Amino acid sequence: MKRPIVELAGTGRYVPERVLTNADFERMVDTSDQWIIERTGIRERHIASAEETIACMATSACRQVLEAAGVGVEEVDSLVVGTASPDRFLPSQACDIQKVLGANNAAAFDVGAACSGFLYGLNVAEGLIAAGTGKNVLVVGAERLSKITDYEDRTTCILFGDGAGATLVRPSSDGKRGILGNYQKTDGRLGDLLYRSSGGANEPPSEEMLKGRGYFIHMAGRETFKSAVRSMADACDQALSRAGLTGDQVDLLIPHQANMRIIEATAKHAGLPMDRVYVNIDRYGNTSAASIPIALDECVRSGRITAGSIVLMVAFGGGFTWASVVVRW
Ligand code: UT7
């Protein structure tokens, strides 16, 4: 088994208070509670208020991480942020989180990998530490998808929610705890299956852009679903094989929470019964890059993950991107 270079120390999360239920969507678009539950597993999702910016949500999650890890904010040397819905485009989201958090000794930057952003961030953090560039790397996944969701499109609006989660990556304290295997992959040829067409330099904001609704997330659901099932299975295999582990040695699978049927297919492929799979999609919907760190924090704080637990995290998202990390807690 691989000797880990880095460990994860401390977790944190922030979930907005306001909830949108399936019953609320029944009043907004042509849908039903039954359809949403059967096709996605989602019952409700949390929606940020005007004050609950990504900078604010992520800072709250990061403060919990630092407290749990016993690390001072001035000791953070890198801040890596995965998000597809930044508060603004320039400067990066990481810069605005750094400012609010007061992590003034850190280099701060975003990783653009959509729903896989948190796991890409963990992999970047491992690389920084392996290269001797970092010792305390905060990794964040945070989204305010409600701001880029088309609430007139029933095929996407019922899916997304807001929130933030984080962890700290640092050198492994005993050469046993930490990341045992990881993997990341991209297929840009499939980028037009999940995208936002305007708002960027190709199609800058205009009245026409707003009418065309290109500012919002568009997704070819069925094709994305099929790719997600295939790619998350690939990601499980690759990380486990790099760690020298098999599925039956995994104590807990934390999959990206995009669709209950994708989660079940991933668990089946990895040979894991559902009681070894963490599911919170019913409460939060799809929070993109935030989904895995929110789930991780819930598992750590509820005692579902304890010292020595083998945890497999696997994500898939726009790009398409996919990634996996297997860690001994
Ligand atoms: O976060 C990373 C990437 N995201 C994903 O991995 C998500 C992948 N995709 C999915 O989760 C699913 O494809 C969806 C949940 C988005 C859609 O479920 P589906 O079972 O693939 O439905 P579908 O797109 O094949 O549509 C089936 C029917 C259609 O009606 P017709 O054409 O058969 O008459 C849709 O118009 O369901 C209809 N439909 C709805 N009906 C009620 C689509 N959305 C809704 C809705 N309520 N909200």
Side-chain angles (χ1 to χ4, degrees):
M1 203 181 294
K2 186 183 149 188
R3 202 179 152 80
I5 300 166
V6 297
E7 67 182 27
L8 310 190
T11 57
R13 71 177 186 276
Y14 183 96
V15 178
E17 209 171 295
R18 184 177 163 222
V19 166
L20 266 186
T21 65
N22 291 350
D24 293 324
F25 280 98
E26 284 177 343
R27 289 186 284 273
M28 291 159 64
V29 289
D30 179 15
T31 192
S32 68
D33 179 46
Q34 190 191 355
W35 190 95
I36 300 173
I37 292 173
E38 279 176 15
R39 304 311 294 166
T40 72
I42 301 168
R43 290 175 187 273
E44 55 188 40
R45 47 317 261 147
H46 292 246
I47 305 295
S49 66
E51 293 75 38
E52 289 171 314
T53 61
I54 292 193
C56 145
M57 295 193 289
T59 296
S60 169
C62 287
R63 288 197 177 124
Q64 294 164 35
V65 171
L66 295 176
E67 195 184 336
V71 168
V73 71
E74 69 290 346
E75 294 176 76
V76 176
D77 46 57
S78 304
L79 172 60
V80 183
V81 178
T83 185
S85 52
D87 292 331
R88 51 181 176 165
F89 290 121
L90 184 70
S92 74
Q93 183 62 64
C95 296
D96 282 341
I97 296 171
Q98 180 198 32
K99 182 175 71 178
V100 181
L101 180 62
N104 300 328
N105 295 324
F109 57 94
D110 292 357
V111 170
C115 306
S116 310
F118 177 73
L119 295 189
Y120 269 60
L122 289 186
N123 293 338
V124 168
E126 184 188 49
L128 287 172
I129 290 171
T133 313
K135 281 203 172 72
N136 286 301
V137 183
L138 267 176
V139 179
V140 174
E143 301 283 5
R144 201 149 56 133
L145 297 174
S146 58
K147 291 288 174 195
I148 55 169
T149 294
D150 184 349
Y151 286 100
E152 291 182 13
D153 175 8
R154 70 173 183 172
T155 69
T156 54
C157 70
I158 49 109
L159 300 171
F160 302 118
D162 301 333
T167 190
L168 184 88
V169 181
R170 66 182 179 197
S172 176
S173 49
D174 60 3
K176 292 194 185 103
R177 295 189 69 218
I179 294 181
L180 303 172
N182 48 14
Y183 176 70
Q184 54 191 18
K185 190 89 191 285
T186 305
D187 190 343
R189 291 168 298 184
L190 302 174
D192 287 342
L193 294 175
L194 176 46
Y195 65 96
R196 292 170 65 206
S197 58
S198 48
N202 275 353
E203 272 185 57
S206 66
E207 268 180 38
E208 241 166 61
M209 176 201 98
L210 289 175
K211 274 189 220 138
R213 312 190 84 74
Y215 180 75
F216 297 120
I217 300 172
H218 291 263
M219 179 170 70
R222 218 170 297 179
E223 289 81 356
T224 304
F225 185 101
K226 283 186 209 149
S227 276
V229 170
R230 235 186 349 259
S231 303
M232 284 173 72
D234 171 48
C236 286
D237 292 347
Q238 296 286 346
L240 287 173
S241 137
R242 288 176 184 194
L245 292 169
T246 49
D248 56 318
Q249 292 170 285
V250 171
D251 295 305
L252 190 67
L253 170 67
I254 302 183
H256 169 48
Q257 311 280 313
N259 185 307
M260 190 60 199
R261 291 177 292 136
I262 298 174
I263 293 172
E264 284 166 351
T266 305
K268 192 171 172 209
H269 177 85
L272 287 164
M274 286 308 287
D275 62 1
R276 281 199 267 155
V277 181
Y278 193 69
V279 176
N280 61 13
I281 190 172
D282 51 325
R283 289 179 284 131
Y284 301 135
N286 181 347
T287 58
S288 185
S291 90
I292 290 180
I294 288 173
L296 183 66
D297 184 59
E298 288 189 337
C299 293
V300 169
R301 288 179 193 271
S302 68
R304 188 95 190 252
I305 293 176
T306 52
S309 296
I310 302 282
V311 182
L312 172 61
M313 298 175 273
V314 56
F316 172 85
F320 286 148
T321 58
W322 57 106
S324 51
V325 172
V326 56
V327 60
R328 183 190 285 113
W329 203 257

